[in-house]
Amino acid sequence: MADTSMADTSKADTSRAKTSRAEAMATGPRPAPGAAAPRLPWRRMMALKGASFTAPFFIGFALFTLAPVLLALRESLYSKQSSGLGFGEKTVEFTGFDNFARGLEDAHFWAAMLRVALFAAVAIPTIMLLSLMMALLLDALSHRLAARFRVPLLIPYMIPGIVAILIWIYIYSPVVGPLTPFLALFGIDANFYSGEMIWISLGNLLAWSGVGFNMLIVYSALQAVPREIFDSARVDGASEWRIAWSIKVPLVRRSLVLITVLSIIGTLQIFSDPMLFRTMTPETVTRDFTPIMAIYDWAFQQGEFNYAAALSIILALVVGAASAVFYKLTNKAPV
């Protein structure tokens, strides 16, 4: 019996020794007391350093995008209620999705949404077409000649948006602007602040400031295409127009889809342009002229922050859905 007990004890000691060796091999050698901790492998250290460059973006995204969205979503579930006959102090109460139901029935908000959607349906294709044509023309020039035109075409985009709007408000002014007297020489009586011309005025402003940036994106995509493809097409007898339409445009389709999606997002949320135009023509540009202006009015003019938060969530969903549908239908590039 004693021999059996000793044998069992020996086997247990052997098993514990094997387990200890396996754990040591898995975790690596332990540093001696007082010795420096082992350094990370070089590749892992380089990966961590590279990832650290994205930290400012993620911090800014969390603070200025994700946090406001979550806060707006929280505020949209509450409403201010008056006590008694309306003379008492207002209290904030949880109302669930009542603000969203109210927003879905808001005729003025959806009229503004339709107004901007129709404007985007005309303005965005026009801007994309101009940007594509300018990019194709630059690509047809020599590198030295194209470099001379790139910066001047990009200057409107580099001008701050508010400054650009003020410039065009001055140009459109029938009192001090140069455009109205110039058109009057040809017998054209143009009021750029009228209801018939206001969208043309806004569209011209958006095209002036956005075409250069979009052109640069498309031009950069064209420069990445191997020149041998175009040379082969020329050898086969293809004209420059045929090369542009059948080769260049399909190869930059992804870039066109990208800038179009960005234009959809920006146009449906247009705010500063009509807001400043409202100072010149309040009878044409009303306070709910665009969805963002309606949200601004509810939040800061009427004090309905909770309802404005619900409208902002609805607008975000509409913009996201429109962008996703367009991307799904058009992002079928051959490369």
Side-chain angles (χ1 to χ4, degrees):
M1 295 292 291
D3 294 340
T4 304
S5 177
M6 292 177 62
D8 293 340
T9 303
S10 177
K11 290 180 179 179
D13 294 340
T14 304
S15 177
R16 283 195 296 269
K18 290 182 178 179
T19 303
S20 300
R21 286 196 296 269
E23 291 176 353
M25 293 177 63
T27 59
R30 296 182 179 178
R39 295 183 177 180
L40 291 174
W42 182 83
R43 290 183 179 274
R44 182 177 297 178
M45 186 180 297
M46 291 296 102
L48 291 175
K49 287 184 177 180
S52 66
F53 285 100
T54 64
F57 166 77
F58 285 108
I59 293 174
F61 178 80
L63 291 177
F64 302 109
T65 301
L66 185 59
V69 169
L70 295 177
L71 181 61
L73 183 59
R74 176 186 177 278
E75 292 296 323
S76 65
L77 302 177
Y78 292 84
S79 294
K80 288 185 177 181
Q81 304 290 340
S82 299
S83 58
L85 298 176
F87 299 102
E89 184 178 356
K90 291 185 177 181
T91 58
V92 179
E93 298 180 2
F94 179 80
T95 55
F97 294 98
D98 290 352
N99 287 323
F100 291 95
R102 178 184 173 187
L104 293 176
E105 298 175 355
D106 193 333
H108 294 285
F109 177 76
W110 290 105
M113 188 79 74
L114 178 61
R115 191 181 298 121
V116 173
L118 293 176
F119 170 68
V122 177
I124 293 178
T126 303
I127 294 174
M128 292 304 106
L129 181 60
L130 292 174
S131 303
L132 178 61
M133 292 175 57
M134 292 172 61
L136 291 173
L137 290 174
L138 278 182
D139 187 69
L141 302 176
S142 62
H143 288 282
R144 180 177 298 180
L145 191 58
R148 296 179 179 178
F149 286 96
R150 284 201 305 265
V151 174
L153 292 175
L154 198 59
I155 286 178
Y157 175 76
M158 295 186 291
I159 297 177
I162 299 299
V163 176
I165 297 171
L166 293 176
I167 292 173
W168 280 99
I169 286 178
Y170 167 77
I171 294 175
Y172 288 146
S173 174
V175 179
V176 297
L179 197 55
T180 300
F182 175 77
L183 294 177
L185 297 176
F186 302 94
I188 301 175
D189 184 15
N191 182 7
F192 294 96
Y193 296 141
S194 63
E196 297 79 12
M197 292 286 294
I198 189 65
W199 284 116
I200 296 177
S201 303
L202 290 172
N204 178 64
L205 174 58
L206 292 180
W208 179 78
S209 59
V211 166
F213 173 77
N214 296 333
M215 174 273 301
L216 188 62
I217 298 297
V218 178
Y219 176 73
S220 300
L222 286 171
Q223 291 300 298
V225 178
R227 300 288 104 178
E228 293 81 4
I229 298 178
F230 307 145
D231 296 336
S232 300
R234 293 187 182 95
V235 171
D236 292 338
S239 62
E240 293 298 325
W241 166 254
R242 187 65 176 177
I243 292 173
W245 180 252
S246 300
I247 300 178
K248 292 184 178 182
V249 173
L251 289 177
V252 299
R253 187 173 180 177
R254 290 187 186 276
S255 298
L256 290 173
V257 170
L258 172 64
I259 60 178
T260 304
V261 169
L262 295 178
S263 299
I264 291 173
I265 296 173
T267 305
L268 293 181
Q269 299 182 82
I270 186 172
F271 173 71
S272 58
D273 307 61
M275 195 66 178
L276 288 180
F277 271 76
R278 177 170 164 75
T279 60
M280 301 298 298
T281 173
E283 67 280 358
T284 300
V285 182
T286 57
R287 63 185 186 181
D288 55 0
F289 192 68
T290 67
I292 292 289
M293 291 180 65
I295 294 172
Y296 176 87
D297 181 73
W298 278 109
F300 299 103
Q301 301 298 326
Q302 303 187 43
E304 294 278 355
F305 289 98
N306 304 103
Y307 181 54
L311 290 180
S312 66
I313 297 297
I314 294 174
L315 177 61
L317 293 176
V318 171
V319 172
S323 303
V325 169
F326 177 83
Y327 185 82
K328 184 67 175 179
L329 295 177
T330 58
N331 190 32
K332 300 177 182 179
V335 293

